[in-house]
Amino acid sequence: MHRDNFQLLDQTVNGHPLIYLDNAATTQKPKEVIHSILDYYTRLNSNIHRGVHYLSQQATTAFEEARTAVQHFINATHQHEIIFTKGTTESINLVASSFGKAFLHEGDEVIISEMEHHSNIVPWQMICEEKKAHLKVLPIDEDGNLKIEELDLLLTKRTKFIAITHISNALGTINPIKRIIEIAHQKDIPVLIDGAQAMSHQPVDVQDLDCDFYCFSGHKMYGPMGVGVLYGKEAWLEKLPPYQGGGEMIQRVTFAHTTFNELPFKFEAGTPNVADVIGLKSAIDYLNRIGISTIAQYENELLEYGAQQLLSIPGLSIIGKAKEKASIISFILDRIHPYDAGLLIDKWGIAVRTGHHCAQPIMDKYGIPGTIRASFALYNTKEEIDRLVDTIKRVQMMLL
Ligand code: C6P
């Protein structure tokens, strides 16, 4: 699907046509995204929000148009609820740090889940340690479903925050986040959703979800690296203190006192990544043109076909068999270390990710050192899955 738009895919690796199945790590970029960045540096490059000159105004307009595009893409109520960051990791750190500073006290509790990426564990661990608060963990079952029925048992009067991933990068599980948000809101607990893996796979409507914060990265949705988004409800963003100090986030600075800028600038200290924000808008335009639902449907076909074909290989087990899954398949091979398998699979020009996928607690839960992960995007094909299957069989013949 739309493969012609991705020039990078048109190459050979180790003498074989490249098959890129590491899309959960980062997706490839369509020509128009690459072109929009080139065009920015060729025609528009200038610092924004600062200059009265032509270029600065043009660049500022393009930057703010990107904010509007993101707002519409996730159906946020206000444009100023969109904060540009470096990526999901920075968005989560911003909320953990600012929320923690203002609202966490000794003995308070924060809930995350057992399937979180390290980016949605470590920032909470750090702030909980600083504030002498407790981090509690909602477990998962053997198939990789959240044990949502245990959430009630974890909630106490001291629960101040819940941070949960929308889609697990290691298992592919799609979590029932709307239900979790409903349960949390019955007790006035705010919820952050780590949407890193969701944005290119399914429509996201933050008003319908009613989440308080939603975080994602441009590079996992056909956009550039180095740019991401924090969506926050206006009421929360108004209440949170700034994350970083510097230019652009201030209203008035004296040596005695500083007052802060209005939203969203309060959270965007320093010169932002203008080129990549514009690249992100181009990625959103691209996704809108194809239609996220069309992509989701196609990727589901790949997921079903991939799972079926992979399971036909003797000695292969899939880790993560949740009822609702995105196009991510993690698997292990009997008596073969994932790292050895990954190295050999690469020799046939196929890119998969091997290891713990920055989710070590999940590997601990299953008692494994890591998995081999194939993750599909709109440009992948069933033929590529067939080649992966053939290659795994070859790897088994070589190593067993
Ligand atoms: N997962 C993967 O291969 P950044 O690095 O900030 O763009 O995204 C971090 C992140 C946060 N949450 C989830 C669920 C993620 O999957 C990721 C990134 C990549 O699975 C790189 S480790």
Side-chain angles (χ1 to χ4, degrees), residues 119-335:
S119 290
N120 203 25
I121 301 175
V122 185
W124 298 107
Q125 246 168 4
M126 287 163 65
I127 193 70
C128 283
E129 202 171 300
E130 194 182 316
K131 292 292 186 161
K132 299 193 172 60
H134 305 294
L135 192 61
K136 294 167 90 175
V137 180
L138 182 62
I140 58 175
D141 66 20
E142 280 308 305
D143 286 344
N145 297 295
L146 272 184
K147 289 189 176 172
I148 189 169
E149 66 284 0
E150 293 195 13
L151 182 57
D152 262 343
L153 304 174
L154 287 184
L155 292 171
T156 71
K157 286 202 175 86
R158 301 305 304 261
T159 309
K160 288 290 158 67
F161 203 91
I162 298 180
I164 296 276
T165 195
H166 195 162
I167 295 179
S168 158
N169 67 315
L171 304 172
T173 311
I174 303 175
N175 285 320
I177 52 169
K178 196 167 171 180
R179 179 76 195 111
I180 292 171
I181 293 162
E182 252 170 41
I183 296 171
H185 284 178
Q186 280 160 15
K187 298 190 188 305
D188 288 331
I189 301 164
V191 182
L192 173 145
I193 303 298
D194 170 353
Q197 293 296 343
M199 291 304 293
S200 63
H201 302 295
Q202 61 180 80
V204 170
D205 179 332
V206 291
Q207 286 190 68
D208 178 55
L209 288 171
D210 200 25
C211 54
D212 300 280
F213 302 97
Y214 196 98
C215 308
F216 57 95
S217 301
H219 71 96
K220 292 186 198 288
M221 49 187 285
Y222 307 99
M225 289 188 173
V227 61
V229 170
L230 166 65
Y231 156 80
K233 276 185 186 162
E234 180 187 54
W236 272 115
L237 292 176
E238 291 289 4
K239 275 188 271 191
L240 296 191
Y243 176 51
Q244 292 179 324
E248 197 55 24
M249 52 76 74
I250 55 87
Q251 202 165 51
R252 174 90 181 101
V253 178
T254 67
F255 287 118
H257 186 63
T258 293
T259 52
F260 301 122
N261 205 341
E262 60 193 16
L263 292 175
F265 309 112
K266 180 172 96 173
F267 291 107
E268 292 180 353
T271 300
N273 186 351
V274 183
D276 292 324
V277 164
I278 289 169
L280 176 60
K281 175 179 183 295
S282 176
I284 288 174
D285 291 343
Y286 181 77
L287 287 170
N288 279 335
R289 241 189 3 264
I290 299 175
I292 288 278
S293 301
T294 308
I295 297 171
Q297 201 181 340
Y298 179 68
E299 286 179 348
N300 269 340
E301 274 175 39
L302 292 180
L303 173 69
E304 258 176 50
Y305 183 76
Q308 208 177 52
Q309 297 304 309
L310 286 167
L311 281 173
S312 72
I313 302 175
L316 184 149
S317 318
I318 290 181
I319 304 291
K321 299 176 199 147
K323 283 177 232 114
E324 298 288 331
K325 273 192 70 166
S327 56
I328 291 173
I329 306 180
S330 259
F331 58 92
I332 51 174
L333 298 168
D334 282 353
R335 293 176 289 134

